[in-house]
Amino acid sequence: MHDLKELGLWLAARGTEQQLLVPSSLPDPCFQLDGRELVSFSTNNYLAIANSTRLKARAKEALERYGVGNCESRLLGGNLELYDLLEARLARIKRKEAALVFATGYLTNLGVLPALVRSTQLARAYGYRTRKSWTHAFFSDEFNHLSIREGMRASGAPVVSFRHVDMADLERKLQSSNADVKFIVTDGVFSQHGDIAPLPEIISLADRYDAFVYLDDAHGTGVLGPTGAGTPEYFGIESPRLIHMGTLSKAYGSIGGFVATDEYVANILRLGCSAYGFTSTLPPDQAAAVLEAIDMVEDEPERRQQLWENQQLFVACMQEAGFTLGCTLTPIVPLLVGDEVECARLAAGLRTGGFHVDAIMFPAVARGQSRLRFIMNAHHTAEHIHRVVQTLRSM
């Protein structure tokens, strides 16, 4: 452990050690910290649903009926009807035949991606004999979320990285691959950059090179598209090649993850994905809350409308103040700073001024690419937005 102690002292001396906040309430987007009210510009609770009266009432009802947690595996007595209802709703939203829910979004990627490759190995134990030895390969955007990268690594299949949203580079690598089964893997909305994957071009390449597309739409689900169905709806795309992944802990204000796909793939994952069958799933009250959140996204469209109005106001104010922003297509709007010490200083200064903005630094982004990641919220007010821009400008 001496090496870790030495490393810890070195990190502390650099001045970029991140201090964990200990708030006494959760952002809506306002929250309490050390007796002060701060306004969060970093919460993933995009639509301010997590603290809503409707969501809490639905969760409380399920809590009284089912208790605090589900201590059983879905395969061994823990498969409540509530989960089947939730999976059916998620499948309809993503226009797929079936869906599976998991305890977290991170666990979804960590379990599903290896299972897509390794399920045939499990089936051999039951006598399955494939007509050939299939080879697999993943083609991954270089800026994909860590959970995606860890899931692919756990599969044991080759992983080919392509330059961020560079379709020419992706095509070159697909063209040179001899794999029998190809998976193009991408975020829908990139969490540290705020840009959107060029899904029409990706689907076109998948058609051309007979590949599947695994889309992590954690930051698109509930936010993008006319009804909030996510990145495919934003582009008006449906494809049998698409495997949709999403989280329930962002726009839906709860906890959990899911994958929506064809029925035959879902059946294989139920048996071959250890993250589904060898652990407990999300608590029943959270499943009930997500069902209510889905209803809210559909019948309270004003939340999504206000989110986008706030995004447009923030971008306009920042540009008027002379700041050069990164991508401005989504509620994630990064301000590139570069230097880690300067980024940490700006975040601390904003906190002093009454705002919480995440300083995103290595290893979340590359060295020299540190940024303040602003995330818009449906409950931000115009006063919040004008004041945070003015505070930043004064620094």
Side-chain angles (χ1 to χ4, degrees):
M1 299 289 285
H2 297 296
D3 57 334
L4 298 181
K5 184 175 182 180
E6 181 179 297
L7 177 59
L9 291 171
W10 179 79
L11 287 171
R14 295 181 71 234
T16 57
E17 186 178 29
Q18 291 189 324
Q19 300 295 321
L20 293 180
L21 303 181
V22 187
S24 55
S25 65
L26 291 173
D28 190 30
C30 299
F31 66 100
Q32 295 292 319
L33 177 70
D34 298 331
R36 298 174 60 215
E37 181 178 85
L38 271 69
V39 181
S40 176
F41 277 85
S42 287
T43 175
N44 291 319
N45 182 23
Y46 288 108
L47 302 178
I49 280 179
N51 294 326
S52 68
T53 301
R54 283 180 62 175
L55 211 64
K56 289 190 287 188
R58 186 72 177 270
K60 184 177 180 181
E61 178 185 306
L63 188 66
E64 291 297 329
R65 179 176 178 181
Y66 298 106
V68 173
N70 185 343
C71 303
E72 318 303 328
S73 160
R74 293 282 299 277
L75 299 180
L76 299 174
N79 189 38
L80 297 172
E81 182 185 16
L82 199 59
Y83 301 129
D84 292 337
L85 292 172
L86 175 55
E87 288 171 343
R89 289 293 299 277
L90 291 167
R92 285 201 298 273
I93 289 168
K94 296 298 184 179
R95 298 182 180 273
K96 285 293 181 178
E97 295 174 349
L100 301 180
V101 295
F102 296 80
T104 69
Y106 202 105
L107 188 63
T108 305
N109 283 334
L110 210 56
V112 171
L113 288 164
L116 291 172
V117 171
R118 298 169 62 180
S119 292
T120 54
Q121 297 174 15
L122 177 66
R124 289 193 187 102
Y126 294 91
Y128 171 72
R129 293 295 178 265
T130 179
R131 60 187 175 86
K132 66 172 292 184
S133 180
W134 300 97
T135 58
H136 301 75
F138 291 106
F139 298 83
S140 175
D141 189 291
E142 64 177 329
F143 290 161
N144 276 340
H145 191 268
L146 180 61
S147 60
I148 293 175
R149 302 200 300 271
E150 290 195 343
M152 292 185 300
R153 190 179 304 120
S155 76
V159 179
V160 181
S161 179
F162 62 90
R163 289 195 294 269
H164 181 50
V165 299
D166 186 333
M167 295 299 96
D169 190 41
L170 172 58
E171 180 165 21
R172 282 192 295 271
K173 287 168 179 175
L174 287 167
Q175 209 168 33
S176 64
S177 173
N178 294 319
D180 298 310
V181 184
K182 304 177 183 70
F183 294 96
I184 302 170
V185 187
T186 183
D187 281 315
V189 176
F190 290 87
S191 61
Q192 310 301 352
H193 302 77
D195 54 347
I196 305 172
L199 193 57
E201 291 86 348
I202 290 173
I203 293 294
S204 177
L205 288 174
D207 288 338
R208 193 176 311 159
Y209 294 98
D210 192 23
F212 294 94
V213 177
Y214 184 95
L215 180 73
D216 181 335
D217 213 18
H219 291 272
T221 301
V223 174
L224 293 184
T227 69
T231 302
E233 187 186 54
Y234 172 83
F235 286 111
I237 285 178
E238 290 183 46
S239 172
R241 297 187 180 279
L242 264 174
I243 298 173
H244 301 253
M245 177 272 169
T247 59
L248 309 174
S249 57
K250 295 178 173 60
Y252 290 145
S254 184
I255 187 67
F258 69 93
V259 62
T261 183
D262 295 326
E263 185 65 48
Y264 79 94
V265 178
N267 285 334
I268 291 168
L269 291 175
R270 287 187 188 100
L271 294 176
C273 180
S274 57
Y276 176 86
F278 283 79
T279 186
S280 300
T281 190
L282 63 160
D285 64 301
Q286 296 298 296
V290 176
L291 281 165
E292 189 69 24
I294 291 170
D295 287 342
M296 292 176 69
V297 170
E298 292 178 357
D299 58 41
E300 296 184 21
E302 62 273 13
R303 288 179 180 269
R304 201 165 57 257
Q305 180 181 346
Q306 188 61 58
L307 170 68
W308 285 105
E309 288 179 5
N310 289 341
Q311 191 264 7
Q312 291 161 13
L313 176 61
F314 176 76
V315 169
C317 289
M318 288 288 282
Q319 290 176 340
E320 184 180 342
F323 292 107
T324 301
L325 300 173
C327 184
T328 58
L329 293 176
T330 71
I332 301 172
V333 184
L335 174 65
L336 187 64
V337 177
D339 181 73
E340 291 183 0
V341 174
E342 176 64 8
C343 194
R345 184 190 73 82
L346 291 172
L350 285 167
R351 192 175 308 141
T352 300
F355 301 98
H356 173 61
V357 182
D358 282 331
I360 306 298
M361 301 181 289
F362 180 82
V365 292
R367 294 287 304 275
Q369 294 294 312
S370 296
R371 64 202 58 199
L372 294 175
R373 183 181 62 174
F374 290 86
I375 301 180
M376 297 301 106
N377 188 273
H379 278 185
H380 281 140
T381 65
E383 190 268 339
H384 291 154
I385 292 169
H386 286 297
R387 193 157 53 88
V388 74
V389 174
Q390 184 57 42
T391 302
L392 188 62
R393 193 175 186 178
S394 69
M395 297 167 61

